[in-house]
Amino acid sequence: MDLCKAQENTSRCSADTVPLECFMVLSTQAQKISIATLCCLFGTLCVLENALVLYLIFSSPTIRKKPSYLFISSLALADILASIIFVSSFVHFHVFNKIDSSKELFLLKLGGVNTSFTASLSSLLLTALDRYISISRPSKYKALVTRRRAWVALGVLWVTCVSISSLPLLGWNCCTLNSACSDLFPFVDNNYLSSWIVLVLVLLVSIVSAYAHVLRRARRHVAYMGKHQAQAGKQNARMRMDIMLAKTLVMVLTVLMACWSPVLVLMVYGIFGKLSDPLRKVFAFCSTLCLLNSMVNPMIYALRSKELSSSLRVAFSQFRRQLRAAEDSPEAESTHKSSAIET
C-alpha cells in the first residue's frame, strides 16, 4: 500500500515502475465475485444477442441491402468486440489481479476497449443521421444514402476510432510524456482522457440533436397519417416503418444515456479532483453498465423492428423444420427401432 500512497501524492509515473496494484480497487472476495458475475452474464448475453442480430441482417437479402441496417450491423459488431475485450481484460485485472507483461500490452487492450465503445457511439450517430435524412428528405433519401456511401462512412468511422484509441499506445501516455496520470486508468494521460471525454460528449450531443429533430418530424407524420389514412397507401406504410425505427433508436439512445452517464460523470470528476477508493469502486461497478447497454440494444431491435422480428420468426421456423426433418429421417427411424428392440 506504500506504493499506492506514493501514487496519490504524485500524479506522475515512470515508464519502468508503475504501481498497477493501486488500480486494483476490489478489496473483498464478494466484490470480485459480483463483478465477475455481472461481466460474464452481460458479456455472454451481449455476444449471443448481437451475433443473432448480425445473422438476421446478413441472412436476409432484403434487409442487408438497406444502409440503415448496415449501421446497425456496425453497432452490433462494435458491441461484440467491446464485450469480448472488456470482459476479458477487466476480469483479468480486477478479479484475478493479473498484471500484463508490459505497458504496451495493457495499452493495446485499453485501445481495443476504447475503439469498440467509440465505434458503438459513432455507429449510433450514423444511424441517427440516417433517420434524420429519412425523415427530413424522404424523396431524396435513396439518392443521398446509398450502400456505397454507407460503406465509405463505416470505413471512415472505424479507421478514425482505431486511430484515436491507438494514441496512448503510440506515445500519448503519461509515462512517455512524464505528465499527469489518470486516477482511473494506468498509464493514461489526463489530457488524452479529457480529449476522449470531449469526443464522447460531442457524439452524444449530436445524437440527441438528430433524434430531437426525428421525433418532431415523427409526430407530424403521425398527425398526417391520422388525417389522410385512406389516401396514404404505400407512402403511409413507409412512414409507419420510419417512425417505428426512429422510436426504437430513441429507446436505444435513452438506455445509452442512462448507462454511460455515471461513467462519464466519474471520469470528469477524476480529471478535476482526486477520486477516493470508494468512488473508484463505484466506477468499477458502473463500468459494467456499458455492457448492460450493449446487451439491451438487440432486445430493443427484436421488440421494435418488424423486419428483424419477422426475420427471426423465419429463422426459427427453418430451424424447427430442420429438427423435424432430422427426426423423420430414415437414419433416425432405424436408430429408434434398434433401440426399441434392444429394450
Side-chain angles (χ1 to χ4, degrees):
M1 296 302 294
D2 293 337
L3 287 174
C4 298
K5 292 180 179 179
Q7 179 73 5
E8 291 177 0
N9 294 329
T10 177
S11 59
R12 300 179 186 276
C13 70
S14 167
D16 300 321
T17 57
V18 180
L20 293 180
E21 293 82 1
C22 302
F23 296 89
M24 298 175 181
V25 295
L26 303 181
S27 55
T28 66
Q29 196 67 19
Q31 293 173 355
K32 294 180 180 180
I33 293 175
S34 299
I35 282 287
T37 302
L38 291 174
C39 286
C40 292
L41 177 62
F42 294 161
T44 302
L45 291 176
C46 177
V47 170
L48 293 176
E49 291 169 1
N50 282 288
L52 178 61
V53 170
L54 289 176
Y55 170 77
L56 294 176
I57 291 175
F58 287 99
S59 64
S60 172
T62 304
I63 294 178
R64 68 169 177 256
K65 291 180 180 179
K66 297 183 177 181
S68 301
Y69 288 100
L70 290 179
F71 301 142
I72 294 176
S73 300
S74 175
L75 174 63
L77 176 61
D79 287 338
I80 289 175
L81 293 177
S83 299
I84 294 174
I85 302 173
F86 177 83
V87 170
S88 59
S89 58
F90 197 79
V91 172
H92 179 265
F93 185 80
H94 284 288
V95 177
F96 296 107
N97 298 136
K98 301 293 184 180
I99 297 177
D100 294 315
S101 57
S102 65
K103 168 174 65 84
E104 289 72 21
L105 180 58
F106 181 89
L107 291 176
L108 179 63
K109 291 180 179 180
L110 184 63
V113 175
N114 285 348
T115 297
S116 303
F117 282 129
T118 307
S120 179
L121 289 174
S122 301
S123 298
L124 276 176
L125 176 58
L126 286 182
T127 307
L129 294 176
D130 173 72
R131 290 300 90 202
Y132 173 84
I133 297 173
S134 175
I135 292 291
S136 61
R137 298 184 179 181
S139 60
K140 299 181 179 179
Y141 173 76
K142 289 185 177 180
L144 292 174
V145 184
T146 62
R147 280 177 55 83
R148 181 181 178 182
R149 290 179 178 177
W151 280 112
V152 170
L154 290 176
V156 172
L157 180 156
W158 281 93
V159 169
T160 303
C161 292
V162 170
S163 301
I164 292 175
S165 302
S166 300
L167 291 177
L169 181 62
L170 297 176
W172 192 355
N173 58 76
C174 59
C175 294
T176 301
L177 301 176
N178 194 27
S179 57
C181 297
S182 168
D183 288 337
L184 293 171
F185 306 102
F187 310 115
V188 174
D189 178 73
N190 257 342
N191 292 327
Y192 172 80
L193 183 59
S194 302
S195 302
W196 187 81
I197 293 173
V198 170
L199 172 63
V200 171
L201 291 176
V202 169
L203 290 174
L204 291 176
V205 170
S206 301
I207 294 170
V208 170
S209 300
Y211 276 117
H213 181 83
V214 168
L215 282 181
R216 285 197 298 268
R217 295 301 294 264
R219 289 180 179 178
R220 294 177 187 176
H221 281 182
V222 171
Y224 174 84
M225 287 187 294
K227 294 180 180 179
H228 305 82
Q229 190 71 30
Q231 304 174 4
K234 284 187 177 180
Q235 185 180 1
N236 199 356
R238 184 177 179 276
M239 283 191 292
R240 285 181 183 275
M241 182 184 68
D242 287 341
I243 293 169
M244 181 66 69
L245 189 54
K247 290 180 178 180
T248 297
L249 295 170
V250 168
M251 291 175 60
V252 173
L253 179 61
T254 303
V255 174
L256 178 76
M257 295 294 292
C259 292
W260 274 84
S261 295
V263 173
L264 290 175
V265 168
L266 288 173
M267 283 184 181
V268 173
Y269 182 81
I271 291 174
F272 294 101
K274 207 70 176 178
L275 286 173
S276 62
D277 283 344
L279 281 179
R280 294 202 294 172
K281 290 179 182 178
V282 171
F283 178 81
F285 279 93
C286 287
S287 298
T288 61
L289 291 177
C290 301
L291 278 179
L292 177 62
N293 169 70
S294 299
M295 184 193 75
V296 170
N297 285 345
M299 296 181 184
I300 300 177
Y301 303 150
L303 291 174
R304 302 289 296 178
S305 173
K306 290 184 178 180
E307 291 175 300
L308 281 182
S309 59
S310 176
S311 180
L312 180 61
R313 286 193 297 269
V314 171
F316 274 129
S317 298
Q318 293 176 348
F319 181 70
R320 290 175 62 184
R321 284 197 297 267
Q322 291 175 356
L323 285 180
R324 290 175 181 175
E327 291 175 355
D328 297 337
S329 64
E331 293 82 358
E333 291 180 2
S334 62
T335 302
H336 177 71
K337 290 179 179 178
S338 61
S339 62
I341 293 173
E342 291 175 359
T343 303

